[in-house]
């Protein structure tokens, strides 16, 4: 799983607690204990109250179930650790307001515990909500399975009601609303140039409150009648049982979660914008989320209130909705829709924001009418509070409310139209790139317009009286929720996937996902307009024969969405694990999230960014939205992906060691660096230094690291000075052998270079063997040399040197000794000692000329040596060295022993002059 | 809830600066928004209350509890009126506590908080006593439901407000928190307390008086 890649030290926030991280089990053990304790506490509390107040009967199951659910849910949130900091605070402990001990993720485990990093929380939200999406989707397929034919298939009426009720509630409270919160959680703070949300701990709490809600909703249809649909109208909801209770509890949890998130967004947007980020420079997604958050904060309490009242009626026995005792069922609908109509904008406005981002980026044009779109968002939110009763035209409410509500409803089409025309105007004459997010955005515009048009029929009193409670309503709600909200969620998920995971997704699969979903979606929901107009009622498990054919088409089409969704999940999971690395800005976007690395660093910005212009100035030469500065540890200046800062790597003997190269690789992973390798070789073998440098450069090039290098005939001090004149460096790595072996360390080179260059010097100590033996890398060709009598001949050394000049080489010298009487005879020992001495001499000779080498004397014939070369050393090539007069049978023997490894015959020419060594 | 105020300790670099352009600390801003949300929760119950009341024929108010005896719902106006004064007075004492802190008088702050909590607790006890002697239950007609839900939720909010004040008191006593320059959690708790007070005054007027 991706972690937040550049986790460079963050000095500014370095004063948090640095206790070792707790294991995952610590949090979850607590969560389990607290959940169970919560349930028990709930039972005890209800028992106590009923006993004290003499309520009869003592056992009223729904009261107990409600208490168990609420207290277990709260127990879970407490146990998982969301309140730890506040608990310490309220006991009067010393607490650190800037406690970042739970910030950031280094492994997948950090996603499974409370985390205060908005980026981690964003991903937690996305994973959790898409899981709920699967549950809700499967429930929808159960609904379509039941409806595939007239008559009752596998579910009785009440079970069927449970399916669609849970489908709707999970999709609304478990998927659409929180997944927008998740996307915004990830990108919004980065977009406005903030390091995190205003209240990171509250942010974590919001997420963990959502989980119990999702579980309650998923369980609800299976534990007792939950027939009321997501609207939960009394009197039906007052007659429900356990499923209904779970639903009511889940709404409270999900509601608290989204209020907390919305509050957080509002404060974040109001107070944490980067310098220069005026409200008219905010990306439209920020506008959309600010407005939505206002709706959530002021609307959600109404659904909380409505669910409290149905709950009291059913469990406590109050009479809010019992007309015989002065109650009023219409009152429920007023209170409920006063939230739930704004709720449809809560589920749509963030999507509008996403579409504005996507359309502008992929049409390469500024948003058409930016301010009008921003104002229209606010207008929709304000008008949204004044249209609720259009859901109640036929409910028997006060009839004078109908016309005003119809008018406000139709008026709301104006700001919505402003948005549609803004997107069309943006696309018009744009340079359109049909990447997956853009295709989803275009698909959204198409389906959402259809959904908007069917909305006009339902918002108009006269036609609504005929169409209400038919499948026309089902078609409409799915055109705006699925074709609207869910399409935008997909667009946003694809759009920011590279930023969130640091990986690219598969465009091909993304397009398959779109077209299968698009065709399946329209095939599923378009015929429902017709069914509704013909009079097929919604929320009924059975229907008339004459609707049979079309319902079958609908059920079959719905499978297209199932397959599409499966492809989506495959694409996301596979790409997350194995996708190509994403650049910082794959879409050439302008807003701030594209000006930082993918994924952004631990605190997004190491220095405060400066916003200098609007967010959508595509195609305007020289226009910029913002400048992101590098933190102090990068030496300031502007931070870009392409302009890297240089680190000088100074080393001679150790330049090609795996110890040093690993260090360079780790540093390079931060994404900000390029490397200049300097080999000071004053008075040493220049060719040898050259060969080592080539190995180092080849290894780094293979790892995709930007590096160059020179061999300088200077002392380290002079070499650093000379290179610094050419290009300013930011830091110096000085690699040396351990103190005892290092001449540089004896000359106090670290301090002298630090003083002379004025830069930070990091010393990398490399063990001698590490420097002298071949570094393991695909860029280095590993060669075994099988030789016996040629060992010690200058001709062999010359041959190997010339090969090493052609390509980076790691050499293993194997000297096979085919003794007649192996074992302990004096002759054998002498022969072995003599061979060992010669082999060691050759290895040292090679090492001195810059060729990394190792070797051994092998008891056995050349074939045995070749086997060792292949199995122990894993070489790419076996060289058989012999004098001209030798026969080819040895080569044949070696070939037979190593199978498909390449075998070459090197003929050592005794007449060849020894290669000049050094100067 | 009081602990939402993660912002601001004077020494902490960027968080100590007030929100850009707003001149108000993040904690206070959050509390204001949260109070807006809470107000809407009460609004939903008031809406229910008004719709129940509006449904009664001939505006016959307070409604008849038992037709046989002609007995009406009559919440105790005078006793609760006195109780209301307790709560209103507690708003002044919490203001006094903040005011003393501004002058660096920590003892005054402690006393102010203690008196406020005492008054709030008194209010709660009197309310519970009222419940016991009221003569009708939540199950009696829709009026009973609306009455108990409104007063009950308000009582719950008084309890939460008391908890917030208690936390502030503990912070003052144990952690020596709050200075004349920085007292966001205290100010937020106090604002919440004022809100609870205002809701009650509105509730008393609507449900008890008119």
């Amino acid at each position: 799983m991706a972690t937040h890649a550049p986790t460079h030290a963050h000095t500014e926030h370095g004063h948090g607690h640095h206790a070792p991280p707790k294991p995952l089990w610590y949090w979850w053990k607590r969560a389990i204990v607290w959940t169970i304790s919560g349930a028990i506490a709930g039972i005890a509390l209800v028992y106590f109250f009923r006993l004290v107040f003499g309520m009869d009967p003592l056992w009223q199951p729904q009261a107990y179930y409600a208490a168990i659910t609420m207290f277990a849910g709260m127990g879970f949130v407490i146990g998982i650790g969301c309140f730890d900091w506040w608990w310490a605070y309220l006991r009067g402990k010393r607490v650190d307001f800037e406690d970042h001990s739970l910030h950031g993720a280094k492994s997948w485990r950090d996603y499974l515990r409370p985390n205060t990093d908005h980026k981690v929380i964003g991903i937690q939200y996305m994973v959790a909500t898409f899981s709920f999406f699967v549950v809700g989707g499967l429930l929808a397929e159960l609904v379509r399975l039941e409806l595939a034919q007239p008559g009752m298939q596998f579910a009785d009426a009440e079970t069927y009601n449970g399916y669609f009720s849970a489908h709707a509630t999970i999709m609304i409270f478990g998927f659409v609303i929180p997944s927008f919160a998740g996307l915004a959680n990830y990108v919004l703070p980065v977009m406005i140039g903030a390091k995190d949300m205003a209240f990171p701990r509250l942010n974590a709490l919001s997420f963990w409150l959502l989980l119990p809600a999702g579980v309650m909703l998923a369980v609800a249809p299976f534990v007792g009648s939950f027939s009321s649909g997501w609207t939960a109208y009394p009197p039906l909801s007052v007659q429900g049982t356990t499923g209904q209770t779970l639903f009511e509890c889940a709404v409270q949890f999900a509601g608290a979660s989204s209020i907390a998130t919305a509050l957080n967004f509002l404060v974040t947007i109001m107070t944490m914008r980067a310098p220069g980020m005026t409200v008219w420079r905010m990306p439209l997604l920020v506008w959309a989320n600010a407005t939505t958050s206002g709706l959530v904060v002021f609307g959600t309490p109404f659904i909380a209130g409505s669910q409290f009242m149905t709950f009291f009626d059913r469990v406590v026995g109050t009479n809010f909705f019992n007309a015989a005792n002065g109650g009023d069922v219409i009152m429920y609908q007023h209170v409920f829709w006063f939230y739930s109509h704004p709720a449809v904008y809560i589920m749509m406005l963030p999507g509008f924001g996403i579409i504005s981002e996507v359309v502008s980026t992929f049409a390469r044009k500024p948003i058409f009418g930016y301010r009008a779109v921003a104002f229209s968002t606010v207008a929709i939110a304000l008008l949204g509070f004044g249209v609720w009763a259009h859901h109640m035209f036929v409910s028997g409410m006060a009839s004078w409310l109908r016309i005003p509500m119809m008018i406000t409803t139709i008026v709301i089409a104006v700001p919505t139209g402003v948005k549609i025309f803004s997107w069309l105007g943006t696309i018009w004459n744009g340079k359109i790139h049909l990447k997956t997010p853009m295709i989803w955005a275009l698909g959204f515009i198409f389906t959402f317009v259809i959904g908007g048009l069917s909305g006009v029929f339902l918002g108009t009193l006269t036609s609504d009286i005929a169409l209400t409670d038919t499948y026309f309503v089902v078609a409409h709600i799915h055109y705006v929720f699925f074709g609207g909200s869910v399409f935008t969620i997909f667009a946003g998920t694809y759009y920011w996937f590279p930023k969130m995971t640091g990986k690219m997704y598969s465009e091909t699969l993304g397009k398959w996902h779109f077209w299968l979903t698009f065709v399946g979606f329209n095939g599923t929901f378009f015929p429902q307009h017709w069914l509704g107009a013909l009079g097929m009622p919604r929320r009924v498990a059975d229907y008339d024969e004459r609707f049979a054919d079309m319902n079958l088409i609908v059920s079959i089409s719905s499978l297209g969405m199932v397959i599409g969704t499966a492809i989506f999940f495959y694409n996301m999971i596979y790409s997350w694990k194995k996708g190509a690395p994403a650049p910082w800005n794959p879409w050439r976007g302008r807003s701030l999230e594209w000006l930082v690395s993918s994924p952004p660093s631990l605190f997004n910005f190491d220095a405060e960014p400066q916003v200098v212009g609007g967010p959508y100035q595509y195609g305007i030469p020289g226009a910029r939205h913002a400048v992101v500065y590098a933190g102090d540890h990068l030496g300031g200046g502007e931070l870009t992906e392409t302009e890297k800062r240089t680190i000088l790597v100074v080393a001679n003997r150790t330049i090609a060691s795996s110890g040093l190269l690993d260090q360079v690789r780790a540093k390079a992973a931060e994404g900000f660096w390029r490397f200049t390798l300097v080999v000071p070789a004053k008075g040493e073998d220049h060719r040898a230094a050259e060969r080592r440098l080539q190995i180092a450069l080849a290894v780094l090039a293979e790892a995709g690291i930007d590096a160059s290098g020179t061999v300088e005939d200077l002392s380290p001090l002079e070499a650093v000075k000379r290179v610094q004149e050419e290009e300013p460096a930011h830091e110096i790595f000085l690699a040396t052998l351990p103190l005892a072996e290092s001449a540089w360390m004896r000359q106090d080179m670290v301090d002298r270079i630090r003083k002379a260059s004025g830069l930070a010097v990091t010393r990398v100590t490399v063990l001698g063997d590490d420097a002298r033996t071949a570094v393991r890398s695909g860029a280095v060709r590993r060669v075994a040399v099988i030789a016996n009598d040629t060992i010690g001949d200058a001709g062999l050394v010359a041959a190997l040197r010339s090969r090493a000049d052609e390509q980076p080489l790691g050499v293993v010298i194997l000297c096979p000794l085919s003794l007649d009487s192996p074992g302990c005879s004096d002759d054998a020992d002498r022969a072995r000692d003599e061979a060992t001495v010669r082999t060691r001499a050759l290895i040292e000779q090679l090492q001195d000329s810059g060729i990394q080498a190792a070797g051994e004397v092998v008891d056995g014939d050349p074939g045995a040596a070749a086997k060792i070369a292949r199995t122990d050393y894993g070489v790419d090539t076996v060289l058989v060295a012999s004098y001209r007069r030798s026969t080819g049978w040895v080569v044949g023997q070696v070939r037979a022993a190593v199978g498909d490894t390449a075998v070459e015959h090197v003929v050592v020419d005794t007449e060849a002059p020894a290669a000049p060594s050094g100067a | 809830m009081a602990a939402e105020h993660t912002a601001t300790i004077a020494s902490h670099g960027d968080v100590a600066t007030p929100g850009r352009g707003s001149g108000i600390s993040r904690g206070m801003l959050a509390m204001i928004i949260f109070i807006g949300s809470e107000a809407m929760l009460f609004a939903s119950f008031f809406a229910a209350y008004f719709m129940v009341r509006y449904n009664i024929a001939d505006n016959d108010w307070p409604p008849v509890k038992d037709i046989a005896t002609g007995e009406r719902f009559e919440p105790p106006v005078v006793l609760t009126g006195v109780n209301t004064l307790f709560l209103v007075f507690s708003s002044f004492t919490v203001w006094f506590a903040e005011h003393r802190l501004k002058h660096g008088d920590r003892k005054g702050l402690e006393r102010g908080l203690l008196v406020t909590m005492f008054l709030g607790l008194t209010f709660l006890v009197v309310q519970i006593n009222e419940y016991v002697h009221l003569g009708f239950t939540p199950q009696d007609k829709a009026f009973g439901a609306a009455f108990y839900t409104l007063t009950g939720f308000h009582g719950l909010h008084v309890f939460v407000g008391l908890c917030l004040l208690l936390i502030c008191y503990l912070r003052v006593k144990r952690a020596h928190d709050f200075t004349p320059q920085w007292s966001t959690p205290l100010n937020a708790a106090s604002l919440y307390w004022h809100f609870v007070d205002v809701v009650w005054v509105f509730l008393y007027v609507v449900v008890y008086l008119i």
Side-chain angles (χ1 to χ4, degrees):
Chain A
M1 238 182 239
T3 55
H4 291 299
T7 49
H8 37 80
H10 199 277
T11 46
E12 203 173 327
H13 291 266
H15 53 81
H17 297 306
H18 288 294
K22 297 190 175 80
L24 211 49
W25 184 229
Y26 166 81
W27 306 101
W28 284 92
K29 197 163 62 185
R30 275 182 35 174
I32 292 167
V33 169
W34 273 88
T35 308
I36 295 169
S37 318
I40 295 169
I43 296 170
L45 208 65
V46 175
Y47 181 81
F48 174 76
F49 268 103
R50 294 190 83 85
L51 197 67
V52 167
F53 292 101
M55 286 173 169
D56 194 50
L58 206 54
W59 173 251
Q60 208 282 29
Q62 291 311 316
Y64 285 94
Y65 292 153
I68 290 170
T69 315
M70 293 301 276
F71 281 80
M74 275 322 290
F76 171 77
V77 177
I78 294 169
I80 199 77
C82 288
F83 288 97
D84 287 5
W85 188 93
W86 291 320
W87 176 238
Y89 180 85
L90 66 85
R91 278 182 305 158
K93 294 256 175 188
R94 275 179 66 91
V95 287
D96 182 3
F97 280 81
E98 287 286 299
D99 181 359
H100 293 294
S101 56
L102 294 179
H103 183 105
K106 288 200 175 68
S107 81
W108 59 270
R109 288 182 189 83
D110 296 328
Y111 289 85
L112 297 177
R113 60 158 173 87
N115 203 313
T116 53
D117 182 354
H118 75 96
K119 298 185 286 297
V120 176
I121 294 173
I123 287 175
Q124 285 176 328
Y125 260 112
M126 294 313 285
V127 173
T129 55
F130 270 114
S131 312
F132 296 144
F133 179 64
V134 172
V135 177
L138 290 177
L139 285 164
E141 286 307 312
L142 288 178
V143 168
R144 280 325 309 175
L145 215 55
E146 174 59 44
L147 292 178
Q149 285 176 359
M152 303 304 281
Q153 265 56 255
F154 60 94
D156 60 49
E158 195 169 283
T159 316
Y160 172 84
N161 287 355
Y163 291 162
F164 75 70
S165 301
H167 161 70
T169 46
I170 289 174
M171 287 304 196
I172 290 169
F173 298 112
F175 177 60
V176 175
I177 295 176
S179 68
F180 279 135
L183 275 175
N185 228 309
Y186 198 102
V187 296
L188 190 140
V190 191
M191 270 185 164
I192 62 170
K195 293 188 176 188
D196 204 321
M197 297 278 274
F199 305 109
R201 285 177 281 274
L202 183 66
N203 202 11
L205 174 64
S206 309
F207 169 72
W208 291 97
L209 278 172
L210 179 69
L211 284 193
V215 173
M216 290 172 206
L217 290 175
V219 173
F222 305 105
V223 291
S225 72
F226 173 29
S227 313
S228 61
W230 82 282
T231 51
Y233 281 3
L236 185 57
S237 59
V238 173
Q239 293 157 9
T241 59
T242 317
Q244 199 73 38
T245 303
L246 283 180
F247 162 73
E248 282 153 356
C249 296
V251 167
Q252 306 299 355
F253 272 84
S257 161
S258 57
I259 289 176
T261 308
L263 187 151
N264 217 336
F265 276 143
L266 279 176
V267 178
T268 307
I269 295 169
M270 282 188 211
T271 65
M272 295 180 72
R273 302 193 306 278
M277 181 67 87
T278 62
V279 289
W280 297 117
R281 283 175 178 170
M282 293 196 307
L284 286 170
L285 184 85
V286 180
W287 268 100
N289 273 289
T291 318
T292 307
S293 300
L295 286 176
V296 171
V297 164
F298 295 107
T300 311
F302 263 70
I303 196 174
S306 69
Q307 295 317 308
F308 275 127
M309 287 189 275
T310 53
F311 176 75
F312 290 153
D313 264 20
R314 201 179 64 256
V315 177
V316 184
T318 57
N319 293 298
F320 278 113
F321 308 119
N322 183 351
N325 282 320
D328 183 359
V329 285
I330 307 281
M331 179 265 282
Y332 173 87
Q333 298 188 25
H334 281 298
V335 175
F336 175 81
W337 285 114
F338 190 77
Y339 160 75
S340 293
H341 194 79
V344 308
Y345 298 110
I346 291 169
M347 286 182 267
M348 203 56 258
L349 290 179
F352 288 162
I354 292 171
I355 296 304
S356 292
E357 302 293 326
V358 170
V359 161
S360 179
T361 305
F362 289 100
R364 312 304 300 164
K365 269 185 66 192
I367 277 287
F368 179 75
Y370 167 86
R371 286 195 182 204
V373 176
F375 275 126
S376 73
T377 309
V378 178
I380 288 175
L382 294 179
L383 286 171
F385 274 115
V387 301
W388 75 90
H390 67 215
H391 295 272
M392 301 160 57
F393 282 151
V394 299
S395 66
M397 66 172 182
S399 54
W400 60 266
L401 254 176
R402 291 168 154 192
I403 300 295
M405 284 293 169
M406 179 180 103
I407 291 170
T408 51
T409 304
I410 304 297
V411 166
I412 226 170
V414 175
T416 316
V418 167
K419 287 178 180 297
I420 300 278
F421 284 113
S422 157
W423 296 321
L424 295 181
T426 308
I427 296 168
W428 182 260
N429 268 345
K431 195 168 181 302
I432 298 166
H433 296 255
L434 285 179
K435 299 281 187 191
T436 306
M438 184 60 167
I439 295 180
W440 279 102
L442 296 177
F444 157 80
I445 295 173
F446 179 84
T447 50
F448 189 73
V449 167
I450 294 178
L453 292 178
S454 62
V456 175
F457 289 91
L458 293 173
T460 308
L461 180 54
T462 42
S463 46
D464 181 69
I465 289 172
L467 291 171
T468 192
D469 273 333
T470 68
Y471 261 76
F472 196 89
V473 177
V474 179
H476 166 71
I477 197 181
H478 284 92
Y479 263 87
V480 290
F481 276 0
F482 197 107
S485 312
V486 180
F487 275 33
T488 66
I489 290 169
F490 282 135
T493 307
Y494 282 111
Y495 184 58
W496 285 298
F497 183 83
K499 184 55 60 183
M500 291 173 142
T501 63
K503 302 287 175 63
M504 295 304 289
Y505 60 83
S506 157
E507 282 286 341
T508 316
L509 291 180
K511 281 167 188 166
W512 272 101
H513 172 211
F514 172 78
W515 284 110
L516 278 167
T517 309
F518 187 75
V519 172
F521 166 78
N522 283 295
T524 305
F525 295 109
F526 203 80
Q528 292 184 357
H529 290 111
W530 198 350
L531 283 171
L534 289 174
M536 179 171 160
R538 68 174 180 153
R539 292 182 168 177
V540 180
D542 192 9
Y543 51 82
D544 195 86
E545 283 289 343
R546 68 199 161 108
F547 303 127
D549 292 345
M550 216 161 339
N551 268 298
L552 189 61
I553 293 173
V554 167
S555 286
I556 290 171
S557 302
S558 72
L559 291 176
M561 290 189 279
V562 175
I563 300 167
T565 308
I567 291 175
F568 166 74
F569 281 110
Y570 175 78
N571 192 3
M572 291 295 110
I573 295 167
Y574 183 83
S575 306
W576 197 355
K577 286 182 84 165
K578 303 228 164 124
W584 289 18
N585 192 354
W587 317 127
R588 294 187 294 140
R590 290 292 173 90
S591 43
L592 267 163
E593 82 270 28
W594 302 115
L595 303 181
V596 295
S597 57
S598 303
S601 61
L602 202 54
F603 287 90
N604 305 341
F605 303 97
D606 297 316
E608 207 165 39
Q610 172 72 45
V611 179
V612 293
Y616 303 113
Q617 298 171 320
Y618 295 103
I620 299 169
R624 302 189 68 175
H625 173 54
V627 184
V628 176
Y629 297 104
D632 287 338
H633 70 292
L634 297 179
E638 196 185 338
L639 186 72
T640 64
E641 186 178 13
T642 44
E643 285 170 37
K644 301 219 161 121
R645 285 125 216 279
T646 302
I647 293 179
L648 292 186
V649 181
V650 183
N652 185 354
R653 302 246 160 194
T654 55
I655 191 85
S657 64
S658 53
L660 175 62
L661 294 174
D662 285 348
Q663 189 108 350
V664 169
R665 224 181 262 141
K667 188 81 178 169
E670 290 177 6
F672 306 114
W673 312 105
R674 63 170 307 283
F675 299 87
T676 299
L677 276 49
V678 186
V679 185
K682 189 174 186 181
E684 290 187 44
D685 183 348
H686 221 268
R687 297 285 310 143
E690 201 75 65
R691 287 188 193 107
R692 285 190 210 105
L693 178 62
Q694 288 320 313
I695 293 174
L697 288 176
V699 172
L700 293 180
E702 200 222 6
I705 295 165
D706 182 3
S708 60
T710 63
V711 176
E712 302 285 343
D713 195 9
L714 299 166
S715 77
L717 217 50
E718 293 159 345
V720 167
K721 269 189 200 146
R722 212 194 67 66
V723 174
Q724 252 191 314
E725 280 163 19
E726 277 172 26
E727 57 175 329
H730 178 266
E731 191 181 338
I732 293 175
F733 280 11
L734 180 69
T736 68
L737 294 169
L739 199 57
E741 301 169 53
S742 170
W744 290 356
M745 290 310 293
R746 284 195 294 277
Q747 296 162 15
D748 203 13
M749 207 47 92
V750 174
D751 273 356
R752 286 169 66 195
I753 291 182
R754 182 179 291 137
K755 276 178 192 144
S757 64
L759 297 176
V761 177
T762 306
R763 183 188 165 212
V764 181
T765 310
V766 176
L767 295 178
D769 277 350
D770 182 18
R772 287 188 287 268
T773 54
V775 54
R776 280 202 181 267
S777 162
V780 176
R781 194 163 183 82
R782 297 174 69 82
V783 174
V785 179
I786 297 176
N788 191 337
D789 46 356
T790 53
I791 292 178
D793 192 306
L796 178 58
V797 178
L800 288 173
R801 274 188 194 138
S802 67
R803 270 173 189 265
D805 288 340
E806 285 161 25
Q807 64 182 146
L809 217 59
V811 178
V812 178
I813 306 291
L814 294 173
C815 177
L817 270 188
S818 305
L819 300 172
D820 294 333
S821 53
C824 315
S825 77
D826 286 353
D827 277 357
D829 277 351
R830 205 175 309 115
R832 206 177 282 119
D833 286 349
E834 185 267 344
T836 307
V837 169
R838 277 194 299 137
T839 306
R840 189 173 294 151
L842 172 62
I843 290 170
E844 276 169 13
Q845 222 173 340
L846 289 172
Q847 285 169 347
D848 284 343
S849 52
I851 301 169
Q852 292 177 323
E856 59 181 303
V857 174
V858 178
D859 273 340
D861 59 2
K867 268 194 192 122
I868 289 172
R870 204 170 73 109
T871 52
D872 289 9
Y873 292 97
V875 297
D876 308 308
T877 310
V878 178
L879 297 182
V880 181
S882 66
Y883 290 117
R884 194 182 302 266
R885 61 178 183 274
S886 303
T887 51
W889 71 269
V890 178
V891 180
Q893 194 185 5
V894 167
R895 275 215 177 98
V898 295
D900 51 358
T901 310
V903 176
E904 290 172 39
H905 187 196
V906 182
V907 178
V908 178
D909 188 351
T910 39
E911 306 303 316
S917 146
Chain B
M1 271 166 261
E4 283 157 19
H5 318 296
T6 55
T8 67
I9 280 186
S11 64
H12 276 141
D14 61 317
V15 283
T17 50
R20 204 175 298 288
S22 59
I24 183 172
S25 74
R26 282 178 205 158
M28 282 306 275
L29 197 55
M31 185 48 95
I32 291 168
I33 295 169
F34 181 67
I35 285 174
S37 195
E38 291 275 61
M40 290 305 277
L41 179 66
F42 279 104
S44 75
F45 292 130
F46 275 114
Y49 171 83
F50 279 118
M51 272 182 262
V52 166
R53 182 167 175 170
Y54 173 79
N55 279 344
I56 300 219
D58 306 327
N59 201 17
D60 186 15
W61 199 261
V64 176
K65 183 180 142 202
D66 193 340
I67 297 170
T69 60
E71 189 190 341
R72 288 172 183 273
F73 289 104
E74 277 177 49
V77 176
V78 179
L79 178 63
T80 312
V82 174
N83 209 12
T84 306
L85 290 180
F86 281 137
L87 202 58
V88 171
F89 189 61
S90 77
S91 248
F92 287 98
T93 58
V94 77
W95 170 82
F96 170 79
E98 283 181 282
H99 179 76
R100 289 320 303 165
L101 178 68
K102 285 271 177 295
H103 289 79
D105 176 7
R106 302 184 63 84
K107 212 74 211 148
L109 166 67
E110 279 173 31
R111 285 195 194 116
L113 285 176
L114 277 179
V115 172
T116 310
M117 284 190 285
F118 174 74
L119 289 169
L121 206 61
T122 311
F123 173 85
L124 267 191
V125 171
V126 174
Q127 266 316 96
I128 291 169
N129 177 62
E130 180 186 312
Y131 276 7
V132 175
H133 297 102
L134 207 48
F136 61 89
T137 67
Q139 287 83 1
D140 282 335
K141 303 263 179 177
F143 177 83
F147 177 87
Y148 272 95
T149 306
L150 273 171
T151 53
F153 266 84
H154 179 265
L156 206 62
H157 281 73
V158 173
F159 179 72
V160 170
L162 278 175
C163 290
L164 297 187
L165 291 174
L166 183 67
I167 291 171
C168 287
Y169 182 74
L170 288 178
R171 291 302 295 181
V172 173
K173 287 299 272 186
R174 290 194 184 175
H176 308 287
D177 256 2
F178 310 136
T179 61
Q181 290 78 32
W182 180 81
S183 54
T184 305
L186 177 70
N187 303 138
S190 143
L191 188 66
Y192 190 82
W193 191 253
H194 293 317
F195 160 73
V196 169
D197 195 3
V198 169
V199 168
W200 178 256
V201 172
F202 185 71
L203 197 158
Y204 178 69
V205 171
V206 167
V207 178
Y208 288 78
L209 287 187
I210 59 174

